Amino acid sequence: MIKVFDNKINFLKAVAILVVVSGHLEFSLIPMFPPYSFQVILFFFIAGMLFNEKYGFWEFVCRRLKSLMLPYFLYEIVYLLITLAITPFVGKFWGMPVNLFNELVIPFLTGHQLDLISPLWFVPCLFLTLILYKIFSYVKMNSLARLFIYLIFAIIAANCDKYSDNIYVLPFIRSFFALFFIHLGFLYNNKVKDKINIFNSKVVYSVLILQGILWLFNTDFSPLEGIGLHYLLVWGKFFNPWLAIATSLTGIYITLFIVEVFYSYLGNWSFIQKIGKNSYHIMANHLLIFNTMTYSLLTLKGLSFDVKNASDIYWFYCPIKSTYFYFVIGIIVTVYIGELLKLIKAKLLKPYLGKI
């Protein structure tokens, strides 16, 4: 049973990271469900599914430091060196000025001190939110009442997005919005999964109809028409708080439904399991791979790097033709970067670092 649970979680994490990467390539992996309407919040939901009440506070903090923040800062050191090394070649420093504040504090405020690992912004955010969730767990309260309180927090946080330009307020907006989805994941794993069938045809039809109705509000087709269904948790911009919560819920549900339907066919496929197990490494490294591909294509075409440097870190070469090539190569390479790093850790670092 534990192995099945672990494999299902890995499958869910695989779908989640594929949605994130597809969003960064500006296409929707799941039609009708725009990635930016639920992609990051899905990882908070998964964190809630994995939340274990048995650990004391300090043990919990230490475990999250080892699993989340230690790899984060190791990646930050590596990517700082990479960024410094490539600056003379690309003609641009991809990040904020290098100082202790930017490297140690900004990760917890914006997470955008280095462009190439900017997708990892959610790791310190997840760490802070889990600590907050653990602290609130000591308040004696009925689970459903707690869910209602967290929903109020999410609504208030989403309505405070006018203050999100203040980098000291931004972490509170992110975390108080995400608490609801962590608790939702916890309730799903402990009260719903294997106990209540939420994947019957009536519920599925209802969610699809709801998403179809929400799509009536979708103005993503033209920038002139507005922002659409998606929201930007990374910058605390929700545009329409009710839509942000609703599309988060429908996106989480459809992802769980996909896992439920396809797990028996694909769940034990080793590569799918590798994607789930390496979701952290995929998140950390896919922009490096994408940009390596971009500069390689520019070189092959004899084009100046200025074409790329005039744009941001998400600029891709000929996206209409190359999007899916980026996607496939990016996933495969980053999965095996993760596998290689695990091998290095097992062979060289485990005696010194212990099990992370």
Side-chain angles (χ1 to χ4, degrees):
M1 182 62 70
I2 293 177
K3 180 175 174 57
V4 171
F5 175 73
D6 289 343
N7 285 352
K8 272 198 169 183
I9 286 290
N10 285 330
F11 193 6
L12 179 58
K13 288 166 66 178
V15 176
I17 194 62
L18 291 175
V19 169
V20 168
V21 175
S22 74
H24 289 165
L25 286 165
E26 298 185 1
F27 76 92
S28 181
L29 189 70
I30 307 174
M32 203 167 81
F33 293 84
Y36 276 92
S37 68
F38 72 98
Q39 60 177 12
V40 175
I41 211 66
L42 178 57
F43 279 99
F44 289 92
F45 180 86
I46 295 171
M49 290 181 66
L50 296 171
F51 182 81
N52 195 322
E53 294 179 291
K54 73 177 184 180
Y55 300 115
F57 179 74
W58 291 113
E59 183 181 4
F60 179 81
V61 171
C62 289
R63 292 175 71 90
R64 297 291 74 80
L65 282 170
K66 291 176 68 176
S67 64
L68 293 174
M69 297 314 303
L70 178 57
Y72 179 91
F73 283 113
L74 288 173
Y75 262 121
E76 184 181 42
I77 291 169
V78 170
Y79 270 93
L80 177 58
L81 295 175
I82 290 174
T83 302
L84 291 169
I86 65 175
T87 297
F89 300 98
V90 300
K92 182 179 181 180
F93 183 79
W94 288 344
M96 300 175 67
V98 180
N99 56 55
L100 289 177
F101 181 83
N102 287 342
E103 307 312 320
L104 298 179
V105 180
I106 286 296
F108 296 97
L109 299 179
T110 70
H112 280 65
Q113 70 280 11
L114 293 171
D115 292 354
L116 283 173
I117 58 164
S118 57
L120 279 185
W121 68 267
F122 92 99
V123 172
C125 178
L126 177 60
F127 173 76
L128 293 176
T129 309
L130 283 171
I131 300 305
L132 196 59
Y133 184 74
K134 181 64 176 177
I135 292 171
F136 286 155
S137 72
Y138 290 113
V139 178
K140 300 299 181 183
M141 189 182 300
N142 176 276
S143 290
L144 291 179
R146 191 184 300 276
L147 184 67
F148 178 75
I149 295 297
Y150 288 145
L151 176 60
I152 298 299
F153 285 173
I155 294 169
I156 293 172
N159 278 284
C160 288
D161 64 350
K162 57 182 172 291
Y163 304 110
S164 62
D165 291 337
N166 184 324
I167 63 172
Y168 297 100
V169 174
L170 179 59
F172 292 96
I173 293 175
R174 291 169 169 175
S175 291
F176 276 88
F177 184 80
L179 279 170
F180 172 72
F181 297 96
I182 289 180
H183 191 58
L184 196 67
F186 177 78
L187 287 182
Y188 172 75
N189 189 54
N190 291 278
K191 304 291 186 181
V192 176
K193 184 175 67 68
D194 301 327
K195 299 179 180 69
I196 303 173
N197 179 20
I198 63 170
F199 302 114
N200 61 70
S201 58
K202 291 181 180 179
V203 178
V204 175
Y205 294 154
S206 298
V207 170
L208 292 176
I209 291 170
L210 173 59
Q211 186 69 10
I213 293 171
L214 294 177
W215 195 266
L216 296 175
F217 297 93
N218 189 11
T219 52
D220 288 327
F221 306 108
S222 167
L224 297 177
E225 294 178 352
I227 201 64
L229 289 185
H230 75 262
Y231 62 94
L232 302 174
L233 183 63
V234 56
W235 300 118
K237 300 297 183 184
F238 298 93
F239 313 113
N240 184 316
W242 298 105
L243 277 181
I245 293 171
T247 57
S248 294
L249 293 172
T250 57
I252 289 170
Y253 177 86
I254 204 65
T255 309
L256 292 171
F257 177 68
I258 288 171
V259 171
E260 190 69 19
V261 170
F262 289 102
Y263 177 76
S264 60
Y265 303 101
L266 299 173
N268 292 313
W269 182 27
S270 62
F271 189 65
I272 289 288
Q273 289 295 312
K274 284 187 174 74
I275 292 174
K277 291 175 182 177
N278 289 288
S279 58
Y280 197 122
H281 300 294
I282 296 170
M283 189 76 81
N285 295 303
H286 69 278
L287 283 189
L288 175 65
I289 302 306
F290 289 167
N291 280 277
T292 299
M293 293 172 66
T294 295
Y295 282 105
S296 298
L297 290 168
L298 288 175
T299 300
L300 288 172
K301 291 292 183 178
L303 298 174
S304 169
F305 287 175
D306 290 340
V307 175
K308 166 73 174 70
N309 291 342
S311 304
D312 66 20
I313 200 72
Y314 292 99
W315 190 90
F316 308 113
Y317 179 78
C318 194
I320 293 177
K321 292 184 177 181
S322 66
T323 292
Y324 299 105
F325 181 64
Y326 273 89
F327 182 72
V328 172
I329 298 301
I331 293 298
I332 292 173
V333 173
T334 52
V335 163
Y336 286 102
I337 287 175
E339 291 293 298
L340 177 61
L341 291 174
K342 288 178 182 178
L343 182 62
I344 292 172
K345 174 190 164 185
K347 298 293 185 182
L348 300 178
L349 300 181
K350 191 171 182 179
Y352 304 99
L353 295 180
K355 187 175 181 181
I356 298 174

